[in-house]
């Protein structure tokens, strides 16, 4: 199943088939734009003749799109050849009759200009009669185009996320061998300082407390090792990365789940940085957080 981005654009422009004896209908245009959003937020911008279709349009959009801020425009296309309509004879005769009557009462009134005749011809013309099933099919075709556009963008996002996941795994591989050496070095530093403190207490005190001091020092060193050991954090980070990879391969509606997993990655990287007593691990933690933040930005666009 593909992964869909919430960002996409699609349009459809078509003229309906009709009886040659009927007045020609203009082309009908549908335009769809979507960006990321927590839920489905649909805005409809419809021509007056399509207002009654709003419930059906909302239902069809909800069936095709789950999340995102989406705008749907539906209306007659304004083509150049339609900017200058061909007025019907009945409309021209009515305009001429109205002009004659007005001039009888207002002789100083000027005649209608060509521009005014064209304008009033548009206003006075009958609204086109659209076949509802044909209009809804046109909208569905545009929705199919939007889904395809969102799927293409989703595939690009998946490729970016997999690249970031691989980079994070490489950082974890760099950090893992450093952990035992860092722990051992920290333990030894602690024991050295403990011995130094005992030495400053005096020879007598050192003789009386040497056995107890040694046990206490070993216990404290072990506790320090547990506090700075980040092996568990690295293991959890790898597990989260594997789960994200599995979800991306599975596809479908996974944006919210990925967002939660990204938060968990942030938690492990932050803990790695806070526990670190070595510059090497601190630098790795910073690099991880940069990559995770870049992943979060991409996940925000996934449906």
């Amino acid at each position: 199943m593909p992964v869909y981005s919430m960002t996409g654009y699609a349009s459809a422009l078509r003229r309906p088939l009709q009886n040659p004896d009927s007045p020609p209908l203009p082309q009908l245009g549908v335009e769809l734009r979507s960006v990321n959003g927590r839920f489905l937020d649909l805005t409809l911008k419809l021509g007056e003749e399509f207002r009654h279709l709003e419930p059906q349009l909302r239902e069809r959009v909800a069936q095709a799109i789950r999340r995102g801020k989406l705008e749907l425009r539906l209306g007659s296309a304004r083509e150049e050849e339609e900017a200058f309509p061909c007025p019907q004879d009945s409309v021209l005769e009515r305009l001429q009759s109205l002009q004659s009557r007005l001039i009888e009462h207002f002789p100083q009134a000027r005649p209608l200009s060509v521009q005014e005749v064209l304008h009033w011809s548009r206003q006075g013309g009958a609204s086109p009669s659209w076949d509802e099933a044909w209009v809804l099919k046109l909208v569905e075709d545009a929705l199919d185009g939007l889904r395809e556009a969102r799927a293409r963008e989703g595939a690009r996002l998946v490729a970016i996320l997999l690249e970031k996941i691989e980079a994070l795994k490489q950082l974890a591989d760099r950090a893992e061998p450093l952990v035992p050496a860092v722990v051992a070095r920290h333990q030894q530093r602690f024991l050295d300082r403990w011995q130094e403190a005992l030495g400053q207490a005096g020879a007598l005190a050192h003789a009386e407390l040497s056995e107890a001091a040694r046990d206490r020092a070993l216990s404290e060193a072990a506790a320090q090792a547990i506090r700075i050991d980040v092996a568990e954090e690295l293991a959890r980070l790898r597990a989260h990365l594997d789960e994200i990879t599995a979800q991306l391969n599975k596809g479908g509606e996974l944006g919210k789940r990925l967002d939660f997993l990204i938060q968990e990655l942030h938690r492990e990287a932050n803990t790695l940085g806070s526990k670190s007593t070595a510059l090497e691990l601190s630098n790795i933690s910073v690099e991880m957080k940069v990559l995770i933040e870049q992943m979060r930005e991409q996940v925000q666009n996934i449906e």
Side-chain angles (χ1 to χ4, degrees):
M1 187 179 298
V3 173
Y4 292 99
S5 168
M6 286 187 284
T7 302
Y9 172 84
S11 64
L13 184 65
R14 200 173 302 160
R15 192 189 303 275
L17 295 174
Q18 58 186 122
N19 191 319
D21 298 330
S22 303
L25 287 172
Q27 289 196 91
L28 187 63
V30 181
E31 188 177 55
L32 293 164
R33 300 174 184 272
S34 68
V35 294
N36 62 318
R38 293 185 62 191
F39 309 101
L40 178 58
D41 181 6
L42 174 60
T43 301
L44 297 177
K45 297 190 176 181
L46 309 176
E48 287 298 328
E49 63 268 40
F50 304 113
R51 295 289 184 188
H52 65 288
L53 294 177
E54 181 171 340
Q56 298 177 67
L57 292 173
R58 288 189 177 277
E59 180 181 356
R60 278 163 170 74
V61 171
Q63 290 172 352
I65 306 296
R66 295 291 182 264
R67 291 178 64 202
K69 187 175 181 180
L70 189 146
E71 178 182 284
L72 185 155
R73 291 177 177 268
L74 173 63
S76 300
R78 297 283 186 177
E79 298 183 302
E80 287 188 17
E81 62 267 23
E82 291 167 356
F84 302 98
C86 182
Q88 298 179 9
D89 291 342
S90 59
V91 175
L92 292 175
E93 290 171 2
R94 180 165 176 75
L95 285 173
Q96 187 177 33
S97 174
L98 289 171
Q99 178 179 259
S100 299
R101 288 179 57 190
L102 287 171
I103 290 178
E104 285 179 8
H105 291 82
F106 304 98
Q108 72 277 14
R110 62 176 179 80
L112 290 170
S113 67
V114 173
Q115 181 180 0
E116 290 168 336
V117 170
L118 291 175
H119 171 75
W120 289 109
S121 295
R122 292 194 200 97
Q123 300 299 319
S127 298
S129 179
W130 300 95
D131 179 78
E132 289 187 7
W134 184 87
V135 173
L136 293 174
K137 178 62 168 62
L138 182 64
V139 172
E140 288 177 354
D141 290 345
L143 282 170
D144 289 343
L146 181 64
R147 291 282 284 175
E148 292 173 3
R150 286 163 64 119
R152 288 193 299 271
E153 178 65 15
R156 190 184 70 84
L157 294 178
V158 169
I160 293 174
L161 289 172
L162 291 176
E163 180 183 334
K164 303 299 180 186
I165 287 172
E166 185 59 32
L168 282 168
K169 287 182 177 180
Q170 291 176 7
L171 287 173
D173 290 341
R174 282 172 48 193
E176 199 164 26
L178 297 175
V179 174
V182 169
V183 171
R185 188 164 63 242
H186 188 80
Q187 282 182 307
Q188 188 59 48
R189 186 184 304 122
F190 177 84
L191 292 172
D192 290 344
R193 289 179 178 177
W194 185 276
Q195 291 295 335
E196 182 181 349
L198 286 178
Q200 293 175 353
L204 179 60
H206 183 274
E208 294 176 351
L209 298 176
S210 58
E211 191 66 28
R214 188 181 305 107
D215 293 341
R216 178 65 182 275
L218 293 175
S219 176
E220 287 293 335
Q224 287 284 342
I226 293 173
R227 282 195 290 270
I228 67 169
D229 190 354
V230 293
E232 187 176 345
E233 283 73 15
L234 290 174
R236 284 198 297 265
L237 186 139
R238 289 180 183 277
H240 295 325
L241 292 175
D242 290 341
E243 177 62 17
I244 292 173
T245 302
Q247 291 295 321
L248 292 174
N249 291 332
K250 179 182 177 182
E253 300 169 27
L254 45 85
K256 292 182 179 180
R257 182 173 181 81
L258 290 183
D259 189 57
F260 170 76
L261 289 170
I262 292 297
Q263 293 179 35
E264 293 302 304
L265 286 178
H266 264 299
R267 191 192 314 277
E268 304 307 337
N270 282 331
T271 305
L272 175 64
S274 63
K275 279 188 171 184
S276 174
T277 59
L279 182 60
E280 307 99 299
L281 286 177
S282 296
N283 290 338
I284 289 174
S285 172
V286 171
E287 291 182 51
M288 282 183 170
K289 285 188 276 190
V290 170
L291 288 170
I292 294 169
E293 181 60 25
Q294 291 171 350
M295 290 179 66
R296 187 191 67 80
E297 292 174 359
Q298 303 302 326
V299 164
Q300 294 299 312
N301 290 318
I302 291 179
E303 185 177 59

PDB file of all heavy atoms in Angstrom, residues 4 56 70 85 87 210 222 253 261 297:
ATOM      1  N   TYR A   4       0.943   8.148   1.463  1.00  0.00           N
ATOM      2  CA  TYR A   4       0.448   9.367   0.839  1.00  0.00           C
ATOM      3  C   TYR A   4       0.939  10.594   1.597  1.00  0.00           C
ATOM      4  O   TYR A   4       0.881  10.647   2.825  1.00  0.00           O
ATOM      5  CB  TYR A   4      -1.082   9.384   0.815  1.00  0.00           C
ATOM      6  CG  TYR A   4      -1.686   8.357  -0.105  1.00  0.00           C
ATOM      7  CD1 TYR A   4      -2.165   7.149   0.387  1.00  0.00           C
ATOM      8  CD2 TYR A   4      -1.770   8.581  -1.474  1.00  0.00           C
ATOM      9  CE1 TYR A   4      -2.713   6.194  -0.459  1.00  0.00           C
ATOM     10  CE2 TYR A   4      -2.316   7.632  -2.328  1.00  0.00           C
ATOM     11  CZ  TYR A   4      -2.789   6.441  -1.806  1.00  0.00           C
ATOM     12  OH  TYR A   4      -3.319   5.506  -2.650  1.00  0.00           O
ATOM     13  N   GLN A  56     -22.854  16.050  -1.467  1.00  0.00           N
ATOM     14  CA  GLN A  56     -22.293  14.927  -2.228  1.00  0.00           C
ATOM     15  C   GLN A  56     -20.791  15.115  -2.450  1.00  0.00           C
ATOM     16  O   GLN A  56     -20.019  14.145  -2.402  1.00  0.00           O
ATOM     17  CB  GLN A  56     -23.008  14.805  -3.573  1.00  0.00           C
ATOM     18  CG  GLN A  56     -24.499  14.507  -3.429  1.00  0.00           C
ATOM     19  CD  GLN A  56     -25.182  14.477  -4.775  1.00  0.00           C
ATOM     20  OE1 GLN A  56     -24.923  13.595  -5.587  1.00  0.00           O
ATOM     21  NE2 GLN A  56     -26.062  15.441  -5.021  1.00  0.00           N
ATOM     22  N   LEU A  70      -7.682  20.885   2.561  1.00  0.00           N
ATOM     23  CA  LEU A  70      -7.936  20.747   1.130  1.00  0.00           C
ATOM     24  C   LEU A  70      -8.904  21.821   0.654  1.00  0.00           C
ATOM     25  O   LEU A  70      -9.902  22.113   1.321  1.00  0.00           O
ATOM     26  CB  LEU A  70      -8.499  19.360   0.842  1.00  0.00           C
ATOM     27  CG  LEU A  70      -8.640  18.934  -0.623  1.00  0.00           C
ATOM     28  CD1 LEU A  70      -8.395  17.434  -0.753  1.00  0.00           C
ATOM     29  CD2 LEU A  70     -10.014  19.278  -1.173  1.00  0.00           C
ATOM     30  N   PRO A  85     -19.304  36.377 -25.459  1.00  0.00           N
ATOM     31  CA  PRO A  85     -20.387  35.451 -25.754  1.00  0.00           C
ATOM     32  C   PRO A  85     -21.134  35.832 -27.032  1.00  0.00           C
ATOM     33  O   PRO A  85     -21.081  36.973 -27.485  1.00  0.00           O
ATOM     34  CB  PRO A  85     -21.290  35.586 -24.533  1.00  0.00           C
ATOM     35  CG  PRO A  85     -21.043  36.974 -24.038  1.00  0.00           C
ATOM     36  CD  PRO A  85     -19.589  37.224 -24.297  1.00  0.00           C
ATOM     37  N   PRO A  87     -24.617  36.468 -28.091  1.00  0.00           N
ATOM     38  CA  PRO A  87     -25.936  36.648 -27.477  1.00  0.00           C
ATOM     39  C   PRO A  87     -27.026  36.013 -28.334  1.00  0.00           C
ATOM     40  O   PRO A  87     -26.989  36.054 -29.562  1.00  0.00           O
ATOM     41  CB  PRO A  87     -26.095  38.166 -27.409  1.00  0.00           C
ATOM     42  CG  PRO A  87     -24.713  38.723 -27.568  1.00  0.00           C
ATOM     43  CD  PRO A  87     -23.982  37.747 -28.421  1.00  0.00           C
ATOM     44  N   SER A 210      39.991   1.388  55.398  1.00  0.00           N
ATOM     45  CA  SER A 210      40.372   0.936  54.053  1.00  0.00           C
ATOM     46  C   SER A 210      39.407  -0.122  53.512  1.00  0.00           C
ATOM     47  O   SER A 210      39.008  -0.073  52.344  1.00  0.00           O
ATOM     48  CB  SER A 210      41.794   0.384  54.066  1.00  0.00           C
ATOM     49  OG  SER A 210      41.877  -0.688  54.992  1.00  0.00           O
ATOM     50  N   ALA A 222      29.958   1.181  40.636  1.00  0.00           N
ATOM     51  CA  ALA A 222      28.959   0.405  39.890  1.00  0.00           C
ATOM     52  C   ALA A 222      27.712   1.241  39.612  1.00  0.00           C
ATOM     53  O   ALA A 222      27.135   1.191  38.517  1.00  0.00           O
ATOM     54  CB  ALA A 222      28.598  -0.849  40.669  1.00  0.00           C
ATOM     55  N   GLU A 253      -2.295   4.726   6.074  1.00  0.00           N
ATOM     56  CA  GLU A 253      -2.422   5.934   6.892  1.00  0.00           C
ATOM     57  C   GLU A 253      -1.573   5.764   8.155  1.00  0.00           C
ATOM     58  O   GLU A 253      -2.002   5.135   9.119  1.00  0.00           O
ATOM     59  CB  GLU A 253      -3.885   6.171   7.257  1.00  0.00           C
ATOM     60  CG  GLU A 253      -4.797   6.355   6.055  1.00  0.00           C
ATOM     61  CD  GLU A 253      -6.251   6.329   6.444  1.00  0.00           C
ATOM     62  OE1 GLU A 253      -6.557   6.686   7.603  1.00  0.00           O
ATOM     63  OE2 GLU A 253      -7.085   5.936   5.619  1.00  0.00           O
ATOM     64  N   LEU A 261       6.360   7.807  17.035  1.00  0.00           N
ATOM     65  CA  LEU A 261       7.675   7.151  17.041  1.00  0.00           C
ATOM     66  C   LEU A 261       8.816   8.161  16.956  1.00  0.00           C
ATOM     67  O   LEU A 261       9.878   7.956  17.558  1.00  0.00           O
ATOM     68  CB  LEU A 261       7.761   6.164  15.874  1.00  0.00           C
ATOM     69  CG  LEU A 261       6.894   4.907  16.008  1.00  0.00           C
ATOM     70  CD1 LEU A 261       6.856   4.130  14.702  1.00  0.00           C
ATOM     71  CD2 LEU A 261       7.400   4.019  17.143  1.00  0.00           C
ATOM     72  N   GLU A 297      10.023  16.838  10.413  1.00  0.00           N
ATOM     73  CA  GLU A 297       9.486  17.777   9.423  1.00  0.00           C
ATOM     74  C   GLU A 297       8.844  17.039   8.247  1.00  0.00           C
ATOM     75  O   GLU A 297       7.818  17.476   7.730  1.00  0.00           O
ATOM     76  CB  GLU A 297      10.610  18.698   8.933  1.00  0.00           C
ATOM     77  CG  GLU A 297      11.129  19.663   9.992  1.00  0.00           C
ATOM     78  CD  GLU A 297      12.331  20.461   9.517  1.00  0.00           C
ATOM     79  OE1 GLU A 297      12.760  20.230   8.379  1.00  0.00           O
ATOM     80  OE2 GLU A 297      12.834  21.302  10.289  1.00  0.00           O
TER      81      GLU A 297
END
